[in-house]
Amino acid sequence: MNKTNNVAILILTGIAALTIAIGIGRFSYTPILPYMISELKLTTTDAGLIASSNYLGYLLGSLIPIFPQFPKNIRSIFIYSIFISIISLFAMGLTNTFEIFILIRFIHGVFSAFVLILGTSLIVSHVQKKGKIFLGTAHFSGVGLGMALSAIVVSYLGFLNFKWDELWFSIGILAIILSFQIIKFTPIQKAEVKYNLKSKHKTNLGFSLITISYGLYGFGYVAFGTFISTMSRLTPSLEKTEPFVWFVVGITGIPSVFFWNWFGSKIGNDIGLFLANLILGLGVLISVLINNEFGIFLSCILFGISFVPITSMCLLEGQKRFSGSFIVSTAILTFSFSIGQMIGPYLSGLLTDYYGSFFFSMMISGIVLIFGSLLMINPNRILNI
């Protein structure tokens, strides 16, 4: 098998992993949530807490791999994490207890972080070793693919009057189908990570700013990412858009990784991050400032084309500014991101229950994203340090 085919298989394996653990595992909660709220009588605060528990798990999962005691057999831990993520999907449909929902989503969060960090370390390093640095983060398109697939399954089965628990079982089956690629083609061992991303100035300031910005991104995107389907269902003028909004986000997110990686290579990765965060913030604001079907679909398109690639671009930009290993820089960035996305859903749920509207939570999120976009710019451009 030639080198090109090897790279394609690696990328497809990474796509399958992030489709299962993040696109489906994390974000299928968004289209299923309206059914859980209506059938289980959850409040938006309850829904926000369940989401936050997933992100708390993700936060802890992002830190564990950097400890020396963490097992060295990365491939095995990666595959085990995939299957625990899948099991958690079925588990969600086996209970209707709020506290157990929180526990299950917490467990999923831990192991989805393992999938992202360990999988990225495996896939990116092997792709880089084969001389295809440009394609190193192509597997992040799996996030958008998983969102689109889960939106299709949930919307179609919801139309057929499937209950909330049956929706969880259905996406669990979808995840199992996608897992066969991972078992067969995950690389045997971790290749040494040596990015050819040269930077003359690796300063604490540059890495600190992108770490803060990535945390603000986690806070800012998550209100929209958690509640957009619920907002569509509960807003009188938008009910008809509910089956489609998350699909639009996912389908526009699939090619966005490739575009932004290419665009960032032309104008500078940090400037690409600035623009992507800015567009994301505008998309979140538009969701409540233009309160009609055009506005909601425009916001979904802007959200989709910008939110998925920010993660892959941030991880590469962070490594560029960090004097240390890829796993450590990824863990630090993911920790900051997790803090933001853990706080975001709970605060958004509280604001929504208090005001009876998603307006304030989306406005705060959009403003935070726009502010955070400024911190993505490498300070070396201004300070020349």
Side-chain angles (χ1 to χ4, degrees):
M1 186 176 294
N2 63 40
K3 183 183 288 188
T4 301
N5 288 338
N6 281 331
V7 170
I9 288 173
L10 283 169
I11 292 171
L12 288 173
T13 302
I15 287 173
L18 291 192
T19 298
I20 292 169
I22 307 296
I24 295 174
R26 182 195 299 177
F27 289 119
S28 60
Y29 180 68
T30 300
I32 295 176
L33 182 57
Y35 298 90
M36 295 178 69
I37 287 176
S38 63
E39 295 174 39
L40 299 176
K41 308 304 179 185
L42 297 176
T43 67
T44 50
T45 301
D46 292 336
L49 276 172
I50 294 170
S52 291
S53 69
N54 182 253
Y55 302 137
L56 174 60
Y58 191 81
L59 183 154
L60 295 178
S62 70
L63 291 179
I64 293 172
I66 69 175
F67 287 98
Q69 295 82 5
F70 191 77
K72 304 304 180 186
N73 191 346
I74 290 178
R75 182 183 188 274
S76 295
I77 301 299
F78 171 68
I79 292 176
Y80 291 147
S81 299
I82 289 287
F83 283 101
I84 293 172
S85 295
I86 293 173
I87 290 168
S88 75
L89 300 176
F90 288 97
M92 283 294 288
L94 294 174
T95 183
N96 59 7
T97 304
F98 173 72
E99 291 79 10
I100 299 179
F101 284 147
I102 286 181
L103 176 61
I104 293 169
R105 294 304 285 168
F106 171 81
I107 292 170
H108 172 268
V110 172
F111 288 94
S112 66
F114 288 175
V115 171
L116 186 141
I117 293 174
L118 302 182
T120 298
S121 176
L122 282 166
I123 303 301
V124 173
S125 59
H126 278 275
V127 171
Q128 183 269 340
K129 191 176 181 181
K130 295 177 184 295
K132 303 287 184 179
I133 298 173
F134 178 73
L135 295 174
T137 57
H139 63 292
F140 278 88
S141 60
V143 176
L145 177 61
M147 291 162 59
L149 289 175
S150 59
I152 292 170
V153 170
V154 171
S155 296
Y156 179 69
L157 296 182
F159 175 76
L160 296 179
N161 295 317
F162 277 57
K163 302 301 182 183
W164 69 270
D165 53 344
E166 296 167 328
L167 298 177
W168 282 109
F169 298 148
S170 299
I171 61 165
I173 293 169
L174 173 63
I176 288 176
I177 294 170
L178 292 168
S179 67
F180 295 106
Q181 168 83 15
I182 298 166
I183 298 171
K184 186 173 182 180
F185 293 114
T186 297
I188 297 299
Q189 61 185 15
K190 177 180 175 291
E192 185 179 2
V193 180
K194 286 185 179 179
Y195 281 98
N196 293 323
L197 297 173
K198 301 297 183 183
S199 176
K200 295 180 181 178
H201 308 287
K202 292 182 184 255
T203 66
N204 290 332
L205 178 61
F207 186 71
S208 296
L209 287 179
I210 197 170
T211 301
I212 293 169
S213 181
Y214 197 36
L216 295 176
Y217 159 70
F219 176 89
Y221 97 88
V222 78
F224 188 103
T226 301
F227 291 116
I228 184 59
S229 294
T230 304
M231 187 174 85
S232 297
R233 171 176 283 202
L234 298 181
T235 303
S237 60
L238 301 176
E239 306 105 313
K240 294 180 180 178
T241 67
E242 184 211 329
F244 309 105
V245 288
W246 201 236
F247 172 77
V248 170
V249 172
I251 204 70
T252 53
I254 296 171
S256 65
V257 173
F258 301 95
F259 168 77
W260 283 102
N261 283 346
W262 169 82
F263 191 54
S265 70
K266 299 297 181 183
I267 65 171
N269 196 50
D270 61 325
I271 300 299
L273 277 166
F274 160 70
L275 293 174
N277 272 267
L278 181 63
I279 291 169
L280 184 68
L282 292 174
V284 173
L285 292 177
I286 286 172
S287 69
V288 289
L289 292 178
I290 304 179
N291 193 25
N292 55 35
E293 293 183 2
F294 169 79
I296 202 71
F297 282 123
L298 176 60
S299 69
C300 287
I301 291 169
L302 294 177
F303 190 92
I305 64 173
S306 56
F307 119 89
V308 174
I310 289 173
T311 291
S312 61
M313 295 169 74
C314 257
L315 296 184
L316 290 182
E317 183 67 19
Q319 172 63 16
K320 185 177 178 180
R321 302 184 194 182
F322 184 74
S323 298
S325 77
F326 178 70
I327 285 185
V328 173
S329 67
T330 300
I332 293 170
L333 288 166
T334 304
F335 176 80
S336 175
F337 170 77
S338 300
I339 291 287
Q341 70 170 4
M342 183 179 66
I343 297 170
Y346 178 57
L347 180 60
S348 297
L350 282 176
L351 289 172
T352 300
D353 280 339
Y354 183 80
Y355 289 104
S357 166
F358 288 95
F359 179 83
F360 291 100
S361 61
M362 295 298 178
M363 287 296 294
I364 291 170
S365 297
I367 291 168
V368 166
L369 284 166
I370 291 171
F371 173 74
S373 70
L374 298 172
L375 302 185
M376 288 289 187
I377 300 173
N378 195 325
N380 295 341
R381 291 181 177 274
I382 302 169
L383 303 177
N384 193 30
I385 56 176

